[in-house]
Amino acid sequence: MDVSMLQRTYTDLLTSLFREGILNQQFIELQQLQDENNPGFVNEVVSLFFEDAGRLITELISNFNQQAVDYKKVDAYVHQLKGSSASIGAEKIRSVCQTFREYYDKNDIQGCYNCIQPLKQEFMTFKSKLEALFALEQQIVAAGGSIPMMRH
Amino acid sequence: MASSQVVKVLVVDDDVLTRRIYRTLLLRFGFEITEAEDGKSAVNKFIDGNEYDLVLMDKDMPRMDGVEATRALRGMGISAKVVAITGDENSRGAFLDAGADEFLLKPLNITALTDILKAFNFLN
């Protein structure tokens, strides 16, 4: 694939991520921090998020599988996940975390429990799409092109 | 300002990802960055004799939260600018009462922080 086609594919994918609500404006804020001094900044920060969020979701699921669920600990994990997802613009993940915390504040345990599977699903979708985006970035750079910047 | 011309910033947040984002932004301005992962570590940095011009302070952290840390710093006579940056919009009053100079909501808005840094004369 030539560079311009790769760049178009990249732009289309990124646009779709915003249109589907997977990413929000905060992602563009992160892209603004990427420059020649920090060429892999967004990739690095999102990779940190993959690691961190993956661990938190594993802990969440493990906690919900216990006989006696420690809901305070679970809420602390979700609070952390909400913060980090908001920091990188992972809107759908942030939104599910917000819903979870609203149920938690109302002592609606079933509501909390019902958020766990959607949270895991949104994380897997986010990870898969961002990995595809970064793979395209690598192809563009390898082909001698520059990464198109999103204006939002 | 602390003794050198370089603006010295203490970034206080228990989230490594958040600290990484702030570090990248502030290094662009040529600031010198130190990190602390909770309020107690932040206070200890000052107790150890370190000087900072600016503190970016999260709220919810282990061992000592940001409001308590801000109060502790002011109680020690620390005059560094303190900017609270938190997702807890209800903590604005508590932070300002504790002695914070400014309050920002997470997620970080680069323009909002830059405007504050200019108002503090840390940026041209």
mmCIF file of all heavy atoms in Angstrom, chain A residues 26 29-30 32-35 38 41 44-45 48-49 52 79 84 86-88, chain B residues 14-18 20-22 24-25 28 60 87 106-111:
data_model
loop_
_atom_site.group_PDB
_atom_site.id
_atom_site.type_symbol
_atom_site.label_atom_id
_atom_site.label_comp_id
_atom_site.label_asym_id
_atom_site.label_seq_id
_atom_site.Cartn_x
_atom_site.Cartn_y
_atom_site.Cartn_z
ATOM 1 N N GLN A 26 -9.927 14.332 24.505
ATOM 2 C CA GLN A 26 -8.711 14.200 25.305
ATOM 3 C C GLN A 26 -7.605 13.489 24.521
ATOM 4 O O GLN A 26 -6.414 13.748 24.727
ATOM 5 C CB GLN A 26 -9.013 13.450 26.613
ATOM 6 C CG GLN A 26 -7.885 13.478 27.624
ATOM 7 C CD GLN A 26 -7.549 14.874 28.116
ATOM 8 O OE1 GLN A 26 -8.337 15.814 27.998
ATOM 9 N NE2 GLN A 26 -6.371 15.046 28.659
ATOM 10 N N GLU A 29 -5.740 16.011 22.699
ATOM 11 C CA GLU A 29 -4.836 16.720 23.628
ATOM 12 C C GLU A 29 -3.519 15.949 23.753
ATOM 13 O O GLU A 29 -2.435 16.530 23.763
ATOM 14 C CB GLU A 29 -5.480 16.845 25.020
ATOM 15 C CG GLU A 29 -6.733 17.694 25.097
ATOM 16 C CD GLU A 29 -6.447 19.154 25.444
ATOM 17 O OE1 GLU A 29 -5.627 19.425 26.340
ATOM 18 O OE2 GLU A 29 -7.059 20.032 24.800
ATOM 19 N N LEU A 30 -3.625 14.614 23.831
ATOM 20 C CA LEU A 30 -2.413 13.783 23.937
ATOM 21 C C LEU A 30 -1.576 13.879 22.665
ATOM 22 O O LEU A 30 -0.348 13.982 22.726
ATOM 23 C CB LEU A 30 -2.780 12.309 24.135
ATOM 24 C CG LEU A 30 -3.235 11.817 25.477
ATOM 25 C CD1 LEU A 30 -3.217 10.290 25.489
ATOM 26 C CD2 LEU A 30 -2.380 12.340 26.609
ATOM 27 N N GLN A 32 -1.281 16.291 20.737
ATOM 28 C CA GLN A 32 -0.593 17.578 20.704
ATOM 29 C C GLN A 32 0.724 17.547 21.460
ATOM 30 O O GLN A 32 1.587 18.388 21.232
ATOM 31 C CB GLN A 32 -1.488 18.678 21.300
ATOM 32 C CG GLN A 32 -2.658 19.053 20.432
ATOM 33 C CD GLN A 32 -3.550 20.094 21.084
ATOM 34 O OE1 GLN A 32 -3.134 20.829 21.973
ATOM 35 N NE2 GLN A 32 -4.784 20.165 20.659
ATOM 36 N N LEU A 33 0.869 16.591 22.363
ATOM 37 C CA LEU A 33 2.105 16.497 23.137
ATOM 38 C C LEU A 33 3.164 15.661 22.403
ATOM 39 O O LEU A 33 4.298 15.556 22.855
ATOM 40 C CB LEU A 33 1.831 15.877 24.513
ATOM 41 C CG LEU A 33 0.962 16.709 25.447
ATOM 42 C CD1 LEU A 33 0.720 15.976 26.753
ATOM 43 C CD2 LEU A 33 1.597 18.060 25.728
ATOM 44 N N GLN A 34 2.778 15.052 21.289
ATOM 45 C CA GLN A 34 3.710 14.217 20.522
ATOM 46 C C GLN A 34 4.414 15.100 19.504
ATOM 47 O O GLN A 34 3.769 15.824 18.755
ATOM 48 C CB GLN A 34 2.940 13.091 19.824
ATOM 49 C CG GLN A 34 3.837 12.134 19.059
ATOM 50 C CD GLN A 34 3.174 10.799 18.827
ATOM 51 O OE1 GLN A 34 2.856 10.089 19.785
ATOM 52 N NE2 GLN A 34 2.959 10.450 17.579
ATOM 53 N N ASP A 35 5.741 15.077 19.519
ATOM 54 C CA ASP A 35 6.503 15.848 18.542
ATOM 55 C C ASP A 35 7.829 15.136 18.290
ATOM 56 O O ASP A 35 8.004 13.988 18.712
ATOM 57 C CB ASP A 35 6.698 17.294 19.033
ATOM 58 C CG ASP A 35 7.411 17.371 20.385
ATOM 59 O OD1 ASP A 35 8.064 16.378 20.794
ATOM 60 O OD2 ASP A 35 7.321 18.420 21.043
ATOM 61 N N ASN A 38 9.339 13.752 21.340
ATOM 62 C CA ASN A 38 8.573 12.648 21.943
ATOM 63 C C ASN A 38 7.778 11.932 20.867
ATOM 64 O O ASN A 38 6.552 11.944 20.866
ATOM 65 C CB ASN A 38 7.581 13.196 22.983
ATOM 66 C CG ASN A 38 8.208 13.410 24.330
ATOM 67 O OD1 ASN A 38 8.551 12.465 25.026
ATOM 68 N ND2 ASN A 38 8.361 14.662 24.689
ATOM 69 N N PHE A 41 5.105 9.246 21.988
ATOM 70 C CA PHE A 41 4.450 9.574 23.258
ATOM 71 C C PHE A 41 3.066 8.945 23.392
ATOM 72 O O PHE A 41 2.756 8.313 24.401
ATOM 73 C CB PHE A 41 4.360 11.106 23.405
ATOM 74 C CG PHE A 41 3.537 11.534 24.597
ATOM 75 C CD1 PHE A 41 3.990 11.306 25.882
ATOM 76 C CD2 PHE A 41 2.301 12.136 24.436
ATOM 77 C CE1 PHE A 41 3.229 11.678 26.990
ATOM 78 C CE2 PHE A 41 1.537 12.520 25.534
ATOM 79 C CZ PHE A 41 2.006 12.292 26.803
ATOM 80 N N GLU A 44 3.234 5.240 23.816
ATOM 81 C CA GLU A 44 3.755 4.893 25.139
ATOM 82 C C GLU A 44 2.683 5.041 26.220
ATOM 83 O O GLU A 44 2.499 4.156 27.062
ATOM 84 C CB GLU A 44 4.938 5.806 25.477
ATOM 85 C CG GLU A 44 5.607 5.455 26.804
ATOM 86 C CD GLU A 44 6.584 6.520 27.273
ATOM 87 O OE1 GLU A 44 7.172 7.212 26.407
ATOM 88 O OE2 GLU A 44 6.759 6.647 28.485
ATOM 89 N N VAL A 45 1.969 6.154 26.179
ATOM 90 C CA VAL A 45 0.949 6.416 27.201
ATOM 91 C C VAL A 45 -0.212 5.416 27.077
ATOM 92 O O VAL A 45 -0.696 4.880 28.075
ATOM 93 C CB VAL A 45 0.449 7.879 27.079
ATOM 94 C CG1 VAL A 45 -0.842 8.091 27.815
ATOM 95 C CG2 VAL A 45 1.506 8.840 27.604
ATOM 96 N N LEU A 48 0.853 2.087 28.384
ATOM 97 C CA LEU A 48 0.796 2.102 29.864
ATOM 98 C C LEU A 48 -0.636 1.835 30.310
ATOM 99 O O LEU A 48 -0.874 1.098 31.268
ATOM 100 C CB LEU A 48 1.205 3.481 30.403
ATOM 101 C CG LEU A 48 2.670 3.726 30.769
ATOM 102 C CD1 LEU A 48 2.883 5.189 31.127
ATOM 103 C CD2 LEU A 48 3.093 2.827 31.921
ATOM 104 N N PHE A 49 -1.580 2.465 29.608
ATOM 105 C CA PHE A 49 -2.993 2.286 29.942
ATOM 106 C C PHE A 49 -3.426 0.829 29.725
ATOM 107 O O PHE A 49 -4.130 0.259 30.560
ATOM 108 C CB PHE A 49 -3.868 3.228 29.096
ATOM 109 C CG PHE A 49 -5.336 3.000 29.298
ATOM 110 C CD1 PHE A 49 -5.978 3.443 30.441
ATOM 111 C CD2 PHE A 49 -6.088 2.309 28.352
ATOM 112 C CE1 PHE A 49 -7.340 3.220 30.650
ATOM 113 C CE2 PHE A 49 -7.443 2.081 28.548
ATOM 114 C CZ PHE A 49 -8.064 2.534 29.692
ATOM 115 N N ASP A 52 -2.102 -1.140 32.677
ATOM 116 C CA ASP A 52 -2.745 -0.734 33.916
ATOM 117 C C ASP A 52 -4.208 -1.177 33.943
ATOM 118 O O ASP A 52 -4.683 -1.801 34.903
ATOM 119 C CB ASP A 52 -2.656 0.792 33.995
ATOM 120 C CG ASP A 52 -2.819 1.289 35.408
ATOM 121 O OD1 ASP A 52 -2.260 0.667 36.329
ATOM 122 O OD2 ASP A 52 -3.503 2.332 35.582
ATOM 123 N N HIS A 79 -12.566 3.547 40.254
ATOM 124 C CA HIS A 79 -12.196 4.966 40.350
ATOM 125 C C HIS A 79 -10.880 5.213 39.615
ATOM 126 O O HIS A 79 -10.735 6.168 38.846
ATOM 127 C CB HIS A 79 -12.083 5.362 41.829
ATOM 128 C CG HIS A 79 -11.483 6.715 42.050
ATOM 129 N ND1 HIS A 79 -12.189 7.884 41.903
ATOM 130 C CD2 HIS A 79 -10.226 7.093 42.396
ATOM 131 C CE1 HIS A 79 -11.411 8.915 42.154
ATOM 132 N NE2 HIS A 79 -10.211 8.466 42.459
ATOM 133 N N SER A 84 -7.805 7.022 34.696
ATOM 134 C CA SER A 84 -6.806 6.805 33.642
ATOM 135 C C SER A 84 -7.463 6.769 32.265
ATOM 136 O O SER A 84 -6.884 7.278 31.297
ATOM 137 C CB SER A 84 -5.981 5.547 33.911
ATOM 138 O OG SER A 84 -6.807 4.425 34.051
ATOM 139 N N ALA A 86 -10.082 8.484 31.384
ATOM 140 C CA ALA A 86 -10.378 9.889 31.076
ATOM 141 C C ALA A 86 -9.109 10.608 30.618
ATOM 142 O O ALA A 86 -9.155 11.447 29.713
ATOM 143 C CB ALA A 86 -10.967 10.587 32.291
ATOM 144 N N SER A 87 -7.979 10.279 31.208
ATOM 145 C CA SER A 87 -6.716 10.948 30.872
ATOM 146 C C SER A 87 -6.301 10.726 29.422
ATOM 147 O O SER A 87 -5.616 11.559 28.847
ATOM 148 C CB SER A 87 -5.564 10.431 31.742
ATOM 149 O OG SER A 87 -5.752 10.827 33.060
ATOM 150 N N ILE A 88 -6.670 9.577 28.864
ATOM 151 C CA ILE A 88 -6.238 9.308 27.495
ATOM 152 C C ILE A 88 -7.376 9.414 26.474
ATOM 153 O O ILE A 88 -7.163 9.170 25.299
ATOM 154 C CB ILE A 88 -5.562 7.923 27.357
ATOM 155 C CG1 ILE A 88 -6.549 6.802 27.670
ATOM 156 C CG2 ILE A 88 -4.327 7.820 28.225
ATOM 157 C CD1 ILE A 88 -6.085 5.469 27.121
ATOM 158 N N ASP B 14 -0.969 9.748 42.220
ATOM 159 C CA ASP B 14 -0.670 8.322 42.431
ATOM 160 C C ASP B 14 -0.747 7.529 41.122
ATOM 161 O O ASP B 14 -0.424 6.340 41.106
ATOM 162 C CB ASP B 14 -1.602 7.714 43.495
ATOM 163 C CG ASP B 14 -3.074 7.809 43.124
ATOM 164 O OD1 ASP B 14 -3.443 8.722 42.363
ATOM 165 O OD2 ASP B 14 -3.863 6.976 43.621
ATOM 166 N N ASP B 15 -1.169 8.148 40.036
ATOM 167 C CA ASP B 15 -1.306 7.446 38.761
ATOM 168 C C ASP B 15 -0.092 7.719 37.867
ATOM 169 O O ASP B 15 0.157 8.867 37.473
ATOM 170 C CB ASP B 15 -2.596 7.892 38.055
ATOM 171 C CG ASP B 15 -2.798 7.165 36.740
ATOM 172 O OD1 ASP B 15 -2.473 5.963 36.661
ATOM 173 O OD2 ASP B 15 -3.279 7.796 35.785
ATOM 174 N N VAL B 16 0.648 6.643 37.534
ATOM 175 C CA VAL B 16 1.891 6.812 36.768
ATOM 176 C C VAL B 16 1.606 7.373 35.368
ATOM 177 O O VAL B 16 2.407 8.150 34.818
ATOM 178 C CB VAL B 16 2.685 5.486 36.713
ATOM 179 C CG1 VAL B 16 1.931 4.409 35.948
ATOM 180 C CG2 VAL B 16 4.049 5.687 36.117
ATOM 181 N N LEU B 17 0.452 7.010 34.813
ATOM 182 C CA LEU B 17 0.104 7.484 33.476
ATOM 183 C C LEU B 17 -0.105 9.002 33.508
ATOM 184 O O LEU B 17 0.354 9.733 32.635
ATOM 185 C CB LEU B 17 -1.176 6.755 33.030
ATOM 186 C CG LEU B 17 -1.584 6.813 31.588
ATOM 187 C CD1 LEU B 17 -2.359 5.563 31.225
ATOM 188 C CD2 LEU B 17 -2.476 7.996 31.340
ATOM 189 N N THR B 18 -0.827 9.478 34.518
ATOM 190 C CA THR B 18 -1.068 10.918 34.673
ATOM 191 C C THR B 18 0.251 11.659 34.843
ATOM 192 O O THR B 18 0.473 12.707 34.203
ATOM 193 C CB THR B 18 -1.978 11.178 35.893
ATOM 194 O OG1 THR B 18 -3.227 10.512 35.694
ATOM 195 C CG2 THR B 18 -2.222 12.649 36.111
ATOM 196 N N ARG B 20 3.117 10.814 33.750
ATOM 197 C CA ARG B 20 3.832 10.766 32.476
ATOM 198 C C ARG B 20 3.327 11.857 31.537
ATOM 199 O O ARG B 20 4.115 12.509 30.850
ATOM 200 C CB ARG B 20 3.655 9.382 31.845
ATOM 201 C CG ARG B 20 4.311 9.202 30.481
ATOM 202 C CD ARG B 20 5.823 9.132 30.590
ATOM 203 N NE ARG B 20 6.440 8.940 29.279
ATOM 204 C CZ ARG B 20 6.835 9.933 28.491
ATOM 205 N NH1 ARG B 20 6.684 11.180 28.868
ATOM 206 N NH2 ARG B 20 7.375 9.656 27.308
ATOM 207 N N ILE B 21 2.020 12.054 31.521
ATOM 208 C CA ILE B 21 1.423 13.083 30.658
ATOM 209 C C ILE B 21 1.862 14.471 31.116
ATOM 210 O O ILE B 21 2.299 15.298 30.308
ATOM 211 C CB ILE B 21 -0.124 12.958 30.655
ATOM 212 C CG1 ILE B 21 -0.543 11.647 29.970
ATOM 213 C CG2 ILE B 21 -0.766 14.155 29.968
ATOM 214 C CD1 ILE B 21 -2.024 11.317 30.120
ATOM 215 N N TYR B 22 1.786 14.728 32.413
ATOM 216 C CA TYR B 22 2.194 16.047 32.927
ATOM 217 C C TYR B 22 3.682 16.283 32.652
ATOM 218 O O TYR B 22 4.087 17.391 32.273
ATOM 219 C CB TYR B 22 1.954 16.152 34.443
ATOM 220 C CG TYR B 22 0.514 16.106 34.883
ATOM 221 C CD1 TYR B 22 0.190 16.060 36.236
ATOM 222 C CD2 TYR B 22 -0.542 16.094 33.982
ATOM 223 C CE1 TYR B 22 -1.123 16.010 36.667
ATOM 224 C CE2 TYR B 22 -1.861 16.048 34.407
ATOM 225 C CZ TYR B 22 -2.134 15.994 35.766
ATOM 226 O OH TYR B 22 -3.444 15.928 36.193
ATOM 227 N N THR B 24 5.600 15.139 30.254
ATOM 228 C CA THR B 24 5.830 15.458 28.847
ATOM 229 C C THR B 24 5.448 16.897 28.546
ATOM 230 O O THR B 24 6.182 17.608 27.864
ATOM 231 C CB THR B 24 5.036 14.498 27.947
ATOM 232 O OG1 THR B 24 5.450 13.174 28.224
ATOM 233 C CG2 THR B 24 5.239 14.812 26.489
ATOM 234 N N LEU B 25 4.322 17.347 29.061
ATOM 235 C CA LEU B 25 3.886 18.717 28.822
ATOM 236 C C LEU B 25 4.859 19.713 29.445
ATOM 237 O O LEU B 25 5.305 20.664 28.800
ATOM 238 C CB LEU B 25 2.480 18.930 29.399
ATOM 239 C CG LEU B 25 1.969 20.369 29.364
ATOM 240 C CD1 LEU B 25 1.849 20.867 27.931
ATOM 241 C CD2 LEU B 25 0.632 20.483 30.082
ATOM 242 N N ARG B 28 8.300 20.273 27.913
ATOM 243 C CA ARG B 28 8.245 21.124 26.710
ATOM 244 C C ARG B 28 8.502 22.577 27.039
ATOM 245 O O ARG B 28 9.008 23.327 26.217
ATOM 246 C CB ARG B 28 6.849 21.055 26.102
ATOM 247 C CG ARG B 28 6.640 19.956 25.150
ATOM 248 C CD ARG B 28 5.292 20.146 24.530
ATOM 249 N NE ARG B 28 5.222 19.429 23.297
ATOM 250 C CZ ARG B 28 4.270 19.555 22.400
ATOM 251 N NH1 ARG B 28 3.298 20.396 22.615
ATOM 252 N NH2 ARG B 28 4.271 18.860 21.305
ATOM 253 N N ASP B 60 -7.237 12.471 45.375
ATOM 254 C CA ASP B 60 -7.379 11.147 45.988
ATOM 255 C C ASP B 60 -6.105 10.343 45.819
ATOM 256 O O ASP B 60 -5.827 9.821 44.733
ATOM 257 C CB ASP B 60 -8.575 10.402 45.351
ATOM 258 C CG ASP B 60 -9.899 11.042 45.710
ATOM 259 O OD1 ASP B 60 -10.038 11.493 46.869
ATOM 260 O OD2 ASP B 60 -10.787 11.117 44.842
ATOM 261 N N GLY B 87 -10.313 14.984 39.503
ATOM 262 C CA GLY B 87 -11.599 14.692 38.880
ATOM 263 C C GLY B 87 -12.758 14.987 39.823
ATOM 264 O O GLY B 87 -13.923 14.903 39.440
ATOM 265 N N LYS B 106 -9.823 17.341 36.115
ATOM 266 C CA LYS B 106 -9.279 16.349 35.178
ATOM 267 C C LYS B 106 -10.410 15.973 34.216
ATOM 268 O O LYS B 106 -11.587 16.029 34.575
ATOM 269 C CB LYS B 106 -8.857 15.082 35.933
ATOM 270 C CG LYS B 106 -7.526 15.184 36.640
ATOM 271 C CD LYS B 106 -7.214 13.846 37.311
ATOM 272 C CE LYS B 106 -5.865 13.868 37.981
ATOM 273 N NZ LYS B 106 -5.562 12.610 38.680
ATOM 274 N N PRO B 107 -10.093 15.504 32.980
ATOM 275 C CA PRO B 107 -8.744 15.319 32.474
ATOM 276 C C PRO B 107 -8.092 16.660 32.135
ATOM 277 O O PRO B 107 -8.777 17.644 31.848
ATOM 278 C CB PRO B 107 -8.937 14.478 31.213
ATOM 279 C CG PRO B 107 -10.322 14.752 30.776
ATOM 280 C CD PRO B 107 -11.109 15.061 32.009
ATOM 281 N N LEU B 108 -6.770 16.677 32.165
ATOM 282 C CA LEU B 108 -6.029 17.907 31.994
ATOM 283 C C LEU B 108 -6.316 18.563 30.653
ATOM 284 O O LEU B 108 -6.246 17.918 29.606
ATOM 285 C CB LEU B 108 -4.531 17.608 32.096
ATOM 286 C CG LEU B 108 -3.622 18.816 31.877
ATOM 287 C CD1 LEU B 108 -3.750 19.799 33.023
ATOM 288 C CD2 LEU B 108 -2.171 18.373 31.724
ATOM 289 N N ASN B 109 -6.631 19.836 30.686
ATOM 290 C CA ASN B 109 -6.755 20.638 29.486
ATOM 291 C C ASN B 109 -5.478 21.472 29.362
ATOM 292 O O ASN B 109 -5.178 22.278 30.248
ATOM 293 C CB ASN B 109 -7.997 21.535 29.589
ATOM 294 C CG ASN B 109 -8.152 22.398 28.365
ATOM 295 O OD1 ASN B 109 -7.449 23.390 28.209
ATOM 296 N ND2 ASN B 109 -9.067 22.026 27.488
ATOM 297 N N ILE B 110 -4.754 21.252 28.275
ATOM 298 C CA ILE B 110 -3.438 21.881 28.128
ATOM 299 C C ILE B 110 -3.559 23.405 28.129
ATOM 300 O O ILE B 110 -2.777 24.098 28.769
ATOM 301 C CB ILE B 110 -2.738 21.383 26.848
ATOM 302 C CG1 ILE B 110 -2.445 19.900 26.967
ATOM 303 C CG2 ILE B 110 -1.468 22.172 26.577
ATOM 304 C CD1 ILE B 110 -1.942 19.254 25.690
ATOM 305 N N THR B 111 -4.575 23.906 27.422
ATOM 306 C CA THR B 111 -4.756 25.362 27.336
ATOM 307 C C THR B 111 -5.049 25.957 28.711
ATOM 308 O O THR B 111 -4.486 27.001 29.078
ATOM 309 C CB THR B 111 -5.904 25.697 26.368
ATOM 310 O OG1 THR B 111 -5.621 25.104 25.110
ATOM 311 C CG2 THR B 111 -6.065 27.204 26.204
#
